[in-house]
């Protein structure tokens, strides 16, 4: 990688108008605090954390119904208690800009979809829709602390539903309708929802997908449900039919639910009252139901929006996302800062790869958020948005989901806009904040994220648990912050929460990413090198291997399975599914050649059942198709592996645990002796297959 290349420096005007510049001036005026550099400010924000977060409360203008007694009761992780005594409501903050008479008629949401074209919702209309839905939910018996879930796409009605639920103190959770029943039920069963919002279907890439059968299955298998609010989205005349034994579940049309227009009423809630449940999968068990709180999300949104994103009323912010992803929540959070949010539901490459750039031009987007995968598609397709579209309003481009390559950085500045802040960020679902983020007073270096986020004590730890610079280490956070999860739903003793983040370094959040921090003249920048654990990260959606195992291992033909995602910086993501087939002749038939007489890599690969070509995987085409189709329908298209291979056996520890991380390290080219300890294995010979596979794969690449 070329290092040290500056691709963009902010102008004096950009620095002067930046939100962080206003904040630094405010600190100097109100608290006599002066910081000469970004890193000095970051150091203060992550050491004097009580004073920092209190300053964000005041600078952002948190609307509290009752005051807090102290900022932080206990400085520890887990277990920090923030702003106890304060009461507030997330939805009230999100809709506050609709009270202003000069802004009521302005758009709060502008949406486009393949299904119904363009939709615009004013601040006043959004408030009235939320008020109507809130009244309907009250009439259905939804109370503070009850869960309401949605099987809904990225459309204005989903935003209104979330705000209505949370305005009452209900707890929101959502999945997109492209997810199959198994994936949805794995999430929603854990939280026992009382209300379900659902659509009949959607259109993607010009194809129609009717999801009413899955909705009916959800109602059937979620016994806690008492009501369904149904939106005919794909077909205006669509109806939902429930089974006879489900007639005690109230079925309400969305149109009727919003018919009685009225102002919303907001329930004052404790700072740490649960707001929503999002999901980030571990390697075993069900997806983790992560609970974030009203106050934490509100104060984090003020900080990230005002200081890092320069958000202000009138901005038009777009981030391509589905409702499965925390970036959807983050997009909706923009309402808190008065931003008009731009929503898109459909295939970003339909009818062509320029669809999103065309949307940005037509709606005069001031920020454009996407993924490295989309940028890579734009590069391969050879488009030039700078020449093809008027992007004069565009001030920033955001990117997250996986590391963006240096080529991707350069393409943005050569093919999108020269004077734009490229904000690659890393964080998301688990912490509710960014570890590495963007800032308008700092330059952009090729391949590097601009800075560590204020208030987030991000470090790279070496094997000895020491913070290091310019070395790849474990990404950790050493101080608590208000946005961190309150708990995992159903994790009554907190053991699952503790084991997910704090088992490696007690009292320190360990995220499971490889991180390198780099000292630059203006600030410390950072590079994420992919996952250091076995969690799969596909297009920004993290999932657990256990989700795939539950589907794959139901097949009679499959005795065992192992899946790894070979995501790593500068390399194309590749997810491989390895299966032990019931009939061992699969391996012999797929690899008829014996070991090479000279013991070459080709011979070793053949001996261990390594595919000599893409078609010689040891898995019949029919079985591959069955497995992939089942994964696609039961989970989602994102879960479908890039390759399926037959193996003699799954490497396991003496206690029977699958060795996903050592296999991943071997396939990424790490030293075998450092990647795995054969003495700790119950079947040490099984690792030889993967050593040969890695050698063959590297020779062919």
């Amino acid at each position: 990688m070329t290092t040290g290349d500056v691709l963009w420096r902010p102008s004096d005007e950009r620095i002067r108008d930046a939100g962080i510049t206003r904040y630094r001036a405010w600190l100097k005026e109100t608290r006599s605090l002066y910081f000469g550099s970004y890193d000095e400010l970051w150091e203060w924000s992550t050491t004097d954390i009580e004073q920092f977060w209190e300053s964000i409360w005041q600078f952002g203008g948190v609307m509290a119904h009752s005051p807090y007694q102290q900022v932080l009761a206990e400085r520890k992780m887990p277990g920090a208690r923030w702003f106890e005594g304060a009461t507030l409501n997330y939805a009230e903050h999100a809709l506050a800009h609709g009270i202003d008479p000069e802004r009521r008629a302005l758009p709060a949401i502008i949406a486009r979809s393949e299904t119904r074209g363009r939709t615009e919702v004013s601040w006043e209309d959004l408030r009235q829709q939320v008020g109507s839905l809130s009244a309907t939910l009250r009439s259905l018996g939804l109370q503070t602390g009850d869960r309401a879930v949605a099987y809904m796409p990225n459309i204005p009605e989903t935003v209104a539903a979330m705000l209505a639920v949370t305005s009452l103190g209900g707890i929101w959770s959502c999945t997109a309708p492209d997810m199959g029943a198994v994936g949805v039920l794995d999430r929603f069963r854990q939280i026992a929802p009382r209300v379900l919002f659902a659509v009949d279907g959607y259109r993607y890439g010009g194809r129609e997908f009717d999801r009413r059968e899955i909705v009916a299955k959800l109602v059937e298998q979620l016994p806690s449900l008492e009501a369904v609010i149904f939106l005919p989205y794909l077909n205006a005349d669509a109806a939902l039919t429930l089974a006879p034994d489900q007639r005690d579940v109230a079925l309400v049309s969305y149109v009727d639910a919003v018919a009685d227009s009225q102002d919303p009423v907001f329930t004052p809630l404790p700072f740490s009252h649960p707001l929503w449940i999002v999901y980030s999968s571990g390697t075993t068990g069900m997806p983790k139901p992560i609970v974030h709180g009203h106050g934490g999300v509100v104060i984090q949104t003020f900080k990230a929006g005002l200081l890092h994103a320069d958000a202000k009323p009138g901005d038009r912010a777009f981030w391509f996302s589905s409702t499965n992803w925390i970036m959807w929540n983050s997009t909706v959070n923009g309402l808190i800062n008065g931003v008009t949010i731009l929503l898109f539901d459909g295939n970003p490459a339909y009818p062509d790869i320029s669809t999103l750039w065309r949307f940005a031009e037509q709606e005069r987007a001031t920020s454009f958020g996407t993924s490295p995968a989309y940028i890579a598609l734009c590069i391969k397709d050879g488009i030039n948005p700078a020449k093809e579209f008027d992007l004069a309003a565009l001030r920033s481009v955001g990117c997250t989901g996986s590391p963006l390559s240096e080529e991707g950085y350069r393409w943005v500045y050569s093919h999108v806009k020269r004077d734009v802040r490229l904000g690659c960020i890393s964080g998301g679902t688990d912490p509710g904040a960014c570890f590495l983020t963007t800032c308008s007073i700092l330059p952009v270096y090729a391949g590097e994220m601009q800075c560590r986020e204020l208030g987030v004590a991000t470090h790279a730890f070496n094997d000895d648990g020491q913070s290091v610079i310019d070395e790849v280490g474990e990404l950790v956070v050493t101080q608590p912050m208000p946005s961190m999860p309150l708990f995992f739903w159903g994790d009554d003793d907190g053991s699952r929460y503790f084991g997910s983040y704090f088992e490696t370094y007690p009292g320190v959040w360990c995220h499971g990413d490889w991180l390198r921090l780099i000292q630059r003249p203006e600030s410390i920048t950072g590079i994420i090198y992919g996952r250091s654990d076995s969690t799969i990260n596909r297009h920004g959606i993290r999932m657990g291997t256990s989700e795939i195992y539950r589907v794959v291992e139901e097949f009679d033909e499959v005795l065992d399975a192992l899946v790894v995602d070979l995501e790593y910086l500068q390399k194309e993501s590749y997810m491989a599914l390895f299966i032990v087939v019931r009939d061992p002749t699969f391996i012999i038939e797929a690899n008829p050649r014996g070991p090479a007489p000279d013991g070459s890599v080709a011979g070793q690969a053949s001996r261990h059942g390594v595919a000599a070509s893409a078609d010689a995987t040891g898995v019949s085409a029919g079985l591959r198709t069955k497995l992939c189709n089942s994964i696609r329908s039961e989970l989602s298209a994102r879960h479908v592996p890039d390759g399926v291979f037959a193996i003699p056996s799954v490497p396991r520890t003496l206690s029977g645990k699958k060795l996903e991380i050592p296999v991943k390290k071997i396939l990424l080219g790490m030293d075998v002796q450092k990647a795995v300890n054969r003495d700790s294995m119950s079947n040490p010979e099984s690792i030889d297959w993967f050593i040969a596979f890695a050698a063959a794969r590297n020779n062919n690449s």
Side-chain angles (χ1 to χ4, degrees):
M1 173 183 286
T2 303
T3 58
D5 291 351
V6 177
L7 302 182
W8 178 80
R9 286 191 183 277
S11 65
D12 291 343
E13 180 182 7
R14 186 70 177 257
I15 293 173
R16 185 190 67 230
D17 293 341
I20 196 170
T21 300
R22 296 195 303 275
Y23 173 67
R24 291 167 75 179
W26 179 85
L27 284 177
K28 186 176 181 180
E29 178 182 348
T30 61
R31 304 193 174 204
S32 299
L33 292 171
Y34 173 78
F35 302 99
S37 69
Y38 178 87
D39 278 351
E40 286 182 13
L41 177 60
W42 178 87
E43 186 69 28
W44 170 73
S45 75
T46 56
T47 52
D48 192 353
I49 61 176
E50 293 86 354
Q51 187 173 186
F52 169 73
W53 286 106
E54 186 175 43
S55 77
I56 297 300
W57 180 290
Q58 296 171 355
F59 184 76
V62 174
M63 298 181 293
H65 291 258
S66 57
Y68 55 86
Q69 274 78 57
Q70 64 182 114
V71 175
L72 180 59
E74 288 188 79
R75 188 194 277 211
K76 66 176 185 177
M77 292 188 293
R81 303 199 313 274
W82 292 93
F83 296 100
E84 288 190 322
T87 56
L88 72 168
N89 189 288
Y90 167 91
E92 184 174 14
H93 286 80
L95 295 170
H97 289 268
I99 300 174
D100 185 348
E102 296 183 2
R103 291 183 53 79
R104 285 179 182 171
L106 298 178
I109 305 173
I110 298 173
R112 286 184 182 269
S113 83
E114 287 187 34
T115 308
R116 64 181 178 197
R118 185 181 190 275
T119 307
E120 183 173 312
V121 181
S122 71
W123 286 96
E124 176 65 16
D125 288 344
L126 181 59
R127 284 182 61 87
Q128 294 298 307
Q129 194 172 151
V130 170
S132 301
L133 273 176
S134 299
T136 298
L137 289 168
R138 279 195 299 271
S139 71
L140 292 171
L142 188 77
Q143 299 178 10
T144 299
D146 287 343
R147 278 74 62 207
V149 298
Y151 191 57
M152 298 271 285
N154 186 19
I155 56 177
E157 289 89 341
T158 313
V159 177
M162 186 269 279
L163 295 176
V165 169
T166 57
S167 72
L168 299 175
I171 305 169
W172 170 263
S173 192
C174 188
T175 64
D178 63 350
M179 183 173 282
V182 171
V184 177
L185 289 168
D186 279 354
R187 287 154 174 78
F188 290 169
R189 273 198 188 116
Q190 298 184 71
I191 65 174
R194 292 186 66 180
V195 176
L196 168 68
F197 290 85
V199 292
D200 62 319
Y202 61 95
R203 187 176 287 111
Y204 188 88
R207 293 179 56 199
E208 293 187 352
F209 297 86
D210 191 319
R211 308 303 268 176
R212 285 177 292 177
E213 184 177 335
I214 291 182
V215 173
K217 189 173 183 179
L218 298 181
V219 177
E220 177 188 352
Q221 299 195 28
L222 291 172
S224 59
L225 278 183
E226 298 176 3
V228 177
I229 298 179
F230 181 69
L231 173 67
Y233 175 57
L234 178 62
N235 185 336
D237 298 323
L240 179 65
T241 302
L242 302 180
D245 60 350
Q246 297 167 358
R247 286 178 180 166
D248 57 336
V249 176
L251 181 57
V252 180
S253 76
Y254 190 93
V255 172
D256 290 341
V258 297
D260 184 16
S261 183
Q262 57 186 284
D263 287 329
V265 177
F266 304 104
T267 301
L269 302 162
F271 184 89
S272 293
H273 182 82
L275 170 66
W276 55 48
I277 299 172
V278 290
Y279 304 89
S280 182
S281 295
T283 57
T284 59
M286 292 292 177
K288 297 180 298 190
I290 300 170
V291 183
H292 290 144
H294 277 250
V297 173
V298 167
I299 199 168
Q300 165 65 23
T301 299
F302 279 133
K303 181 201 66 177
L306 299 179
L307 307 190
H308 288 284
D310 299 337
K312 59 182 183 298
D315 285 353
R316 295 188 167 200
F318 169 71
W319 202 295
F320 179 71
S321 177
S322 80
T323 52
N324 285 327
W325 193 14
I326 193 67
M327 292 312 298
W328 179 83
N329 304 67
S330 180
T331 297
V332 178
N333 290 347
L335 296 171
I336 291 176
N337 292 315
V339 172
T340 298
I341 58 175
L342 306 180
L343 310 180
F344 181 87
D345 176 45
N347 186 335
Y350 179 81
D352 56 64
I353 198 65
S354 296
T355 294
L356 297 185
W357 299 109
R358 190 175 300 111
F359 180 41
E361 175 192 53
Q362 292 170 344
E363 303 302 343
R364 304 185 307 282
T366 55
S367 64
F368 180 97
T370 185
S371 67
Y374 180 73
I375 289 179
L377 287 174
C378 291
I379 294 173
K380 290 178 182 178
D381 203 73
I383 67 168
N384 193 330
K387 292 183 178 180
E388 298 171 32
F389 304 102
D390 179 3
L391 301 175
L394 193 64
R395 299 199 312 267
S396 65
V397 172
C399 193
T400 194
S402 60
L404 179 64
S405 67
E406 183 177 322
E407 179 188 15
Y409 274 75
R410 296 183 187 279
W411 182 84
V412 169
Y413 284 102
S414 62
H415 288 77
V416 177
K417 194 172 184 179
R418 296 193 62 83
D419 186 19
V420 70
R421 187 196 70 228
L422 174 56
C424 292
I425 61 176
S426 174
T429 304
D430 299 74
C434 290
F435 306 118
L436 300 169
T437 190
T438 186
C439 184
S440 287
I441 66 172
L442 299 173
V444 173
Y445 286 85
E448 302 172 18
M449 284 173 263
Q450 286 179 284
C451 58
R452 295 178 284 185
E453 184 165 294
L454 295 174
V456 185
T458 303
H459 295 269
F461 270 16
N462 63 15
D463 291 342
D464 296 324
Q466 299 170 328
S467 182
V468 294
I469 300 293
D470 210 25
E471 293 180 28
V472 177
E474 285 278 0
L475 191 162
V476 302
V477 177
T478 59
Q479 294 291 340
M481 50 191 180
S483 66
M484 282 180 167
L486 304 174
F487 52 88
F488 292 170
W489 195 267
D491 181 28
D492 296 334
D493 63 358
S495 59
R496 194 180 182 197
Y497 184 25
F498 181 87
S500 295
Y501 310 118
F502 303 105
E503 207 164 47
T504 305
Y505 306 105
V508 173
W509 174 293
C510 184
H511 191 63
D513 278 347
W514 280 305
L515 166 67
R516 177 187 168 205
L517 297 173
I518 304 167
Q519 182 66 67
R520 296 297 184 194
E522 304 85 0
S523 71
I524 289 178
T525 65
I527 302 174
I528 298 290
Y529 286 87
R531 294 295 295 173
S532 63
D533 63 13
S534 59
T535 301
I536 295 169
N537 184 11
R538 302 284 278 177
H539 313 300
I541 307 299
R542 287 180 176 170
M543 64 195 73
T545 53
S546 60
E547 295 188 75
I548 294 177
Y549 297 147
R550 279 198 297 278
V551 173
V552 170
E553 292 174 4
E554 284 186 359
F555 282 81
D556 290 337
E557 298 96 323
V558 178
L559 291 176
D560 205 354
L562 183 83
V563 64
V564 294
D565 182 22
L566 304 182
E567 176 213 5
Y568 200 75
L569 187 68
Q570 303 291 350
K571 295 184 180 181
E572 188 171 351
S573 175
Y574 186 87
M575 184 173 122
L577 173 62
F578 303 99
I579 61 172
V580 180
V581 294
R582 186 174 296 279
D583 183 354
T585 60
F586 273 113
I587 298 175
I588 298 171
E589 292 171 356
N591 299 277
R593 299 176 303 162
D598 61 359
S600 64
V601 168
Q604 290 290 322
S606 178
R607 185 197 318 161
H608 293 295
V610 177
S613 70
D615 294 326
T617 63
V619 180
S620 68
L623 179 55
R624 275 204 314 272
T625 301
K626 284 169 62 177
L627 291 172
C628 291
N629 285 346
S630 184
I631 291 169
R632 181 180 288 105
S633 63
E634 297 294 336
L635 297 172
S636 81
R638 296 185 186 88
H639 293 65
V640 176
D642 296 298
V644 183
F645 304 89
I647 58 175
S649 60
V650 170
R652 291 183 179 272
T653 64
L654 293 172
S655 62
K657 183 179 179 182
K658 298 180 184 185
L659 287 170
E660 295 166 325
I661 298 175
V663 167
K664 178 176 180 177
K665 290 180 177 180
I666 290 170
L667 298 186
L668 285 173
M670 298 184 184
D671 182 82
V672 176
Q673 302 302 319
K674 295 181 179 179
V676 64
N677 177 9
R678 289 177 183 266
D679 292 337
S680 68
M681 296 179 61
S682 62
N683 54 348
E685 73 287 347
S686 64
I687 208 70
D688 294 333
W689 190 97
F690 294 95
I691 295 170
F693 181 84
R697 187 170 184 268
N698 291 334
N699 282 348
N700 291 330
S701 62

